[in-house]
Amino acid sequence: MENLLGLLRIHVIRGVNLAIRDVRSSDPYIIVRMGKQKLKTRVVKKNVNPEWNEDLTLSIADPSIPIKLQVFDKDTFSFDDKMGDAEFDIGPFIEAVRMRLENIPSGTVITNVKPSRQNCLAEDSNIVWENGKVKQHMFLRLRNVERGEVELQLEWIDIPGSMGP
């Protein structure tokens, strides 16, 4: 990967009130895509409020490419069922990383991203300085499904020798 800016660690925390796709529940997992990169969480059996607490890491070369997230219900004898999708833009997050902040108190809000028709945010999403790192916490409202949200946290990882964002 030439022109690598750094890594984006996506901490997939949990799903909230996801759709039921089996008889009484679902066996959800998430696929995260950015360009040609594709990452997947583990399956959580029989749970519409799954806790993944799993880290997925993307290599970032072009921060203008949106990150797409799809939730599926794992099925044994048929195709996996769709349980909604969302996407988010890391532009505001990358802008905060580019500020190269130092010596500010942990917990300082750098900027706030509001929910809009252009994003899948369910509520305001703060980009904060936390323990020497830029982090963004977000709840994404799933589209193309009757209900459900996914909670994520983003964290930037600098790579020695990379161009930086």
Side-chain angles (χ1 to χ4, degrees):
M1 275 235 173
E2 72 233 28
N3 304 331
L4 186 63
L5 303 178
L7 301 175
L8 180 69
R9 178 178 294 144
I10 302 170
H11 184 65
V12 181
I13 300 170
R14 65 188 175 127
V16 179
N17 197 24
L18 300 180
I20 294 172
R21 287 292 179 263
D22 294 333
V23 178
R24 282 192 209 88
S25 191
S26 291
D27 305 316
Y29 67 92
I30 292 179
I31 292 179
V32 174
R33 285 189 167 99
M34 182 183 199
K36 293 184 170 132
Q37 299 177 80
K38 177 181 169 182
L39 303 167
K40 183 178 154 186
T41 66
R42 65 187 160 77
V43 174
V44 177
K45 298 253 184 229
K46 294 183 171 53
N47 199 331
V48 292
N49 294 294
E51 303 232 354
W52 284 285
N53 284 316
E54 213 168 305
D55 288 333
L56 304 176
T57 304
L58 292 168
S59 302
I60 306 298
D62 182 354
S64 67
I65 299 173
I67 296 175
K68 297 177 190 290
L69 179 141
Q70 293 175 290
V71 183
F72 290 94
D73 169 45
K74 180 74 177 158
D75 286 329
T76 307
F77 301 110
S78 61
F79 291 110
D80 293 353
D81 301 313
K82 291 181 178 174
M83 293 175 64
D85 63 89
E87 69 178 56
F88 59 95
D89 171 27
I90 59 169
F93 179 77
I94 295 296
E95 285 174 30
V97 171
R98 283 184 172 142
M99 291 179 183
R100 295 281 176 215
L101 299 169
E102 288 180 27
N103 303 323
I104 61 173
S106 191
T108 300
V109 175
I110 301 166
T111 189
N112 176 278
V113 183
K114 301 268 184 215
S116 73
R117 288 197 174 114
Q118 283 73 46
N119 65 39
C120 293
L121 293 173
E123 58 188 42
D124 284 14
S125 174
N126 286 333
I127 299 172
V128 298
W129 179 260
E130 199 173 285
N131 300 321
K133 296 183 183 218
V134 176
K135 296 186 178 184
Q136 181 175 5
H137 190 257
M138 60 176 69
F139 276 96
L140 297 175
R141 182 168 289 123
L142 297 174
R143 306 177 294 196
N144 304 311
V145 68
E146 59 272 21
R147 65 177 197 236
E149 295 179 1
V150 173
E151 182 181 6
L152 306 172
Q153 185 180 52
L154 308 182
E155 179 184 329
W156 184 257
I157 301 168
D158 276 317
I159 299 174
S162 71
M163 297 171 51

